[in-house]
Amino acid sequence: MDPISWSHTLPQLMIAVLFGYILGSTPFGLLLTRMAGMGDVRKIGSGNIGATNVLRTGNKKLAALTLLGDLLKGTLSVVIARECAIVFKPDHVLLIACLAGAGAFLGHLFPFWLKFRGGKGVATYLGVLLALSPPAFLVFGFIWLSSAYFSRYSSLSALIASALMPFVLFGFGRLGLAELFAILTVVLWIKHKENIKRLLDGTEGKIGGKKQVPSDANSDPASPKDSDK
């Protein structure tokens, strides 16, 4: 491969990162729960805007939609950037696609809409992985499901699966992607530091735990409040 001509290529690379970042910064979990009249999801559970915390509201449909939205913004950032690169920069398609994916991941973690306080990044990480290596995506899913089945911890399952991804990609002969996901995995683990502390303390919430409602959620004053059962 010819050396990169940075004077001509750097603007395209920056555009790819910026495009991915803007798409990735869309806070689906927060938007969907507010549209459903459930208040600010950041006021319950882990305070996260991701699907796992949305699930703590008891609304599985919203949690599924949040997961899908956060995943697709990672996938679409890669796919759109890749298609544009094929037309305008065919010599650096993979690099541009990877940078757009990394931008989407960082956008989810540090969205400018929310003063750079975003989610933990697992779904968007998965979306980028799906676009760049579908076989590795399937392996991640298998590892996560297996771990979640036995442990009932979503965070632990994501940490285990992500830690293995660079090795899985290396095994598939995708050295460049293995390097990219090694970096993304380190960032993912850093964002999960509070989860890791709770896992070590035995206080981390399990899948299917107690339903929680944000304190600013819309409620009908004529209706009796649910009591703990």
Side-chain angles (χ1 to χ4, degrees):
M1 181 181 293
D2 294 333
I4 295 176
S5 177
W6 291 108
S7 61
H8 294 90
T9 305
L10 188 58
Q12 287 88 347
L13 300 183
M14 294 177 64
I15 290 172
V17 174
L18 182 61
F19 166 72
Y21 176 82
I22 293 173
L23 188 58
S25 66
T26 307
F28 283 104
L30 181 61
L31 294 175
L32 290 170
T33 50
R34 282 186 169 173
M35 289 171 61
M38 303 188 74
D40 191 338
V41 71
R42 294 173 296 179
K43 295 183 178 180
I44 66 170
S46 65
N48 186 23
I49 61 172
T52 300
N53 206 41
V54 173
L55 185 60
R56 293 190 175 102
T57 66
N59 194 316
K60 296 180 180 179
K61 181 178 180 180
L62 283 183
L65 288 174
T66 300
L67 176 64
L68 181 62
D70 288 345
L71 187 149
L72 285 179
K73 64 189 183 184
T75 302
L76 289 176
S77 65
V78 172
V79 172
I80 294 173
R82 183 164 55 201
E83 292 304 311
C84 291
I86 289 173
V87 176
F88 298 106
K89 210 68 179 176
D91 293 337
H92 306 297
V93 173
L94 181 58
L95 176 60
I96 289 173
C98 287
L99 288 175
F105 178 71
L106 293 175
H108 180 77
L109 299 183
F110 310 106
F112 61 91
W113 311 102
L114 304 178
K115 299 180 179 178
F116 304 101
R117 297 176 182 176
K120 300 295 178 66
V122 176
T124 307
Y125 178 106
L126 267 175
V128 176
L129 186 63
L130 172 62
L132 293 172
S133 179
F137 171 84
L138 294 176
V139 174
F140 186 108
F142 175 78
I143 296 171
W144 189 95
L145 288 171
S146 299
S147 177
Y149 177 80
F150 289 106
S151 72
R152 308 303 298 171
Y153 287 115
S154 175
S155 57
L156 177 62
S157 302
L159 289 169
I160 292 172
S162 62
L164 294 174
M165 277 309 98
F167 301 100
V168 170
L169 289 164
F170 182 80
F172 287 153
R174 306 297 302 273
L175 179 58
L177 294 186
E179 294 173 344
L180 170 65
F181 278 90
I183 296 171
L184 298 188
T185 296
V186 170
V187 178
L188 189 78
W189 273 63
I190 292 173
K191 287 292 290 184
H192 278 77
K193 61 182 180 181
E194 295 300 324
N195 300 83
I196 295 172
K197 290 179 182 178
R198 289 194 295 269
L199 285 167
L200 294 174
D201 293 338
T203 58
E204 177 74 332
K206 291 190 175 183
I207 297 172
K210 183 180 177 181
K211 174 182 174 181
Q212 301 180 50
V213 180
S215 58
D216 60 344
N218 294 340
S219 59
D220 182 356
S223 301
K225 294 183 179 180
D226 293 336
S227 59
D228 292 337
K229 299 181 179 177

